[in-house]
Amino acid sequence: MGHQEWGTEQKPVGGWRSAASRSSASAPRRAGWALALLLAAAPAMAQAPGAFFRMGMGARSLAVPSQVADRSGYASPYLNPALAPFTAAQGVELTAGRLAFGRSWEGVQVAAPLQPASGFAGGVIHGGIDGIDGRDASGYPTSGQNEDGTLRADEYAFFAAFGTQFSSRVSAGVGLRLYRNQLFEGTRAPTAIGISLGTTAQLTDRVSAGVVVDDLFARYEWSSTGSASASATDYFPVRVRGGLAYAAGDRGEGRPRLTVAAEGELFVQPAEARRFDGVDVIVTDVSQSTTTLEVTLADVQGRVGGEYWLTDGFAARLGLDRIGAGEAGELRPSAGFGIEQRVGELDLRVDYTAVVEPFGSALMHMATVRLGL
């Protein structure tokens, strides 16, 4: 799975598109384009749209962040729709996270197997940031939605995933995601639709492989009203993830006692850079002249994780995310546990994970309660 971006070192790999001639560009003009490239990369590094939703689904997905090929039945189809057929039984999951810096994260998922060899999952994820100090162009505080005058940003993802087994060894699935971002009153809340395609294969009795492509065609179309109206397009990064999972031992009903998984991710995002060329004055009209450069930013990173059931009802989990994403301080180690217990006619599972955020800036806590019906 992919996770929240924190300073990823993405490299521009796309081409130039502008009205200016490259052959006639002066040294200052080339320097301006170099600066524009850096400015284009900076927002994508830390502010690529949908960052909350790349954190995964459920506490287990943070403790074992490499679940693209995990066919154990514990991995959410949100991470790879091809995992839907391996859902053990219909159930409801409720997840809540405690995050630093005014952030919040909640998720709900409903999943069920479908006969003869398919599965389905759907749900909603909410991520938000509260207590934002808003300022106008003169530096004065703005009037926000909250009682203390601060601003709040809320983002939602509604998702559905369907998968089926074509044989005992091969499965495939498709996922649909609807994103919505709500900011302050002066900005129209944009929506985006993304498509995910995934597949898994059982290579041997113990090793499985998986590949998924996330957020195809997803983008936000921003527009604001008022004295400073503007519009912009914010593209979601397309993520290609592939990995392997090793399962050993038997806890009954085909559930492994040990699961070790690893995956790699290619992160690709279109972006625009605008260079200021000057101001045009025609009589009383004043307009700003800019040139736009379209680039494609790319990054590669990896993640690993493992789970071991010490007893039939208690599992210990360890993981490491953002391998190769940048400096060593950007690594995200995680640890957690899972508890399973039969309560009357219900199968109850409680998962907890603690994650060290990049550079030790904070500790993230995530808990999930699943009721199997």
Side-chain angles (χ1 to χ4, degrees):
M1 61 170 276
H3 297 280
Q4 196 168 359
E5 286 69 44
W6 294 81
T8 305
E9 294 183 356
Q10 297 167 311
K11 294 83 176 175
V13 298
W16 300 78
R17 261 208 245 167
S18 74
S21 169
R22 294 180 61 188
S23 60
S24 62
S26 62
R29 182 178 293 272
R30 292 193 182 104
W33 277 123
L35 178 60
L37 275 170
L38 292 175
L39 293 176
M45 292 175 185
Q47 303 174 22
F52 277 114
F53 311 126
R54 290 187 286 278
M55 292 172 60
M57 169 54 73
R60 185 179 184 269
S61 67
L62 289 176
V64 187
S66 47
Q67 299 187 31
V68 68
D70 184 0
R71 293 162 53 117
S72 66
Y74 288 102
S76 169
Y78 177 83
L79 307 173
N80 183 351
L83 299 176
F86 308 107
T87 302
Q90 59 185 2
V92 179
E93 288 188 13
L94 305 176
T95 302
R98 181 183 177 186
L99 290 72
F101 312 118
R103 297 169 298 159
S104 60
W105 194 100
E106 301 88 27
V108 179
Q109 175 184 278
V110 177
L114 302 175
Q115 297 299 327
S118 301
F120 169 84
V124 58
I125 298 173
H126 165 258
I129 304 177
D130 206 353
I132 302 172
D133 184 17
R135 301 280 171 165
D136 61 19
S138 300
Y140 293 103
T142 59
S143 178
Q145 312 102 305
N146 300 329
E147 292 182 359
D148 59 359
T150 59
L151 300 171
R152 177 177 178 83
D154 292 286
E155 198 166 6
Y156 298 87
F158 303 88
F159 70 92
F162 172 81
T164 189
Q165 287 185 270
F166 294 101
S167 70
S168 61
R169 291 188 173 272
V170 178
S171 71
V174 59
L176 180 67
R177 301 179 184 180
L178 174 64
Y179 300 103
R180 181 174 178 83
N181 196 320
Q182 294 182 338
L183 294 179
F184 54 89
E185 294 180 357
T187 303
R188 180 184 63 84
T191 58
I193 295 178
I195 296 175
S196 299
L197 301 173
T199 185
T200 71
Q202 192 69 42
L203 303 181
T204 69
D205 290 343
R206 294 186 176 182
V207 178
S208 57
V211 177
V212 64
V213 182
D214 287 324
D215 291 331
L216 291 168
F217 315 116
R219 63 183 182 182
Y220 281 144
E221 298 284 352
W222 295 94
S223 65
S224 61
T225 59
S227 58
S229 61
S231 61
T233 299
D234 210 0
Y235 293 92
F236 279 64
V238 174
R239 299 159 57 228
V240 181
R241 295 180 290 123
L244 298 172
Y246 172 85
D250 186 2
R251 298 173 48 233
E253 300 179 358
R255 298 175 299 174
R257 185 168 295 277
L258 171 69
T259 301
V260 179
E263 71 177 52
E265 174 185 318
L266 172 64
F267 179 106
V268 180
Q269 182 185 18
E272 292 183 352
R274 291 183 177 87
R275 192 198 63 191
F276 175 70
D277 292 329
V279 175
D280 298 328
V281 180
I282 303 176
V283 189
T284 59
D285 293 332
V286 179
S287 62
Q288 177 177 295
S289 176
T290 61
T291 306
T292 300
L293 169 67
E294 295 185 1
V295 298
T296 299
L297 305 173
D299 179 43
V300 177
Q301 59 181 284
R303 51 189 65 95
V304 296
E307 171 185 75
Y308 183 74
W309 288 86
L310 301 173
T311 69
D312 287 343
F314 183 85
R317 299 166 181 148
L318 290 173
L320 184 62
D321 198 359
R322 298 186 56 76
I323 301 172
E327 301 178 21
E330 294 187 48
L331 292 171
R332 296 206 320 174
S334 58
F337 62 84
I339 300 174
E340 282 189 340
Q341 179 65 48
R342 183 78 174 176
V343 180
E345 298 297 323
L346 301 177
D347 289 320
L348 174 65
R349 190 177 84 227
V350 177
D351 298 320
Y352 168 79
T353 299
V355 183
V356 179
E357 300 208 48
F359 301 103
S361 57
L363 190 64
M364 180 192 306
H365 303 272
M366 194 76 71
T368 299
V369 176
R370 185 184 191 277
L371 293 176
L373 307 178

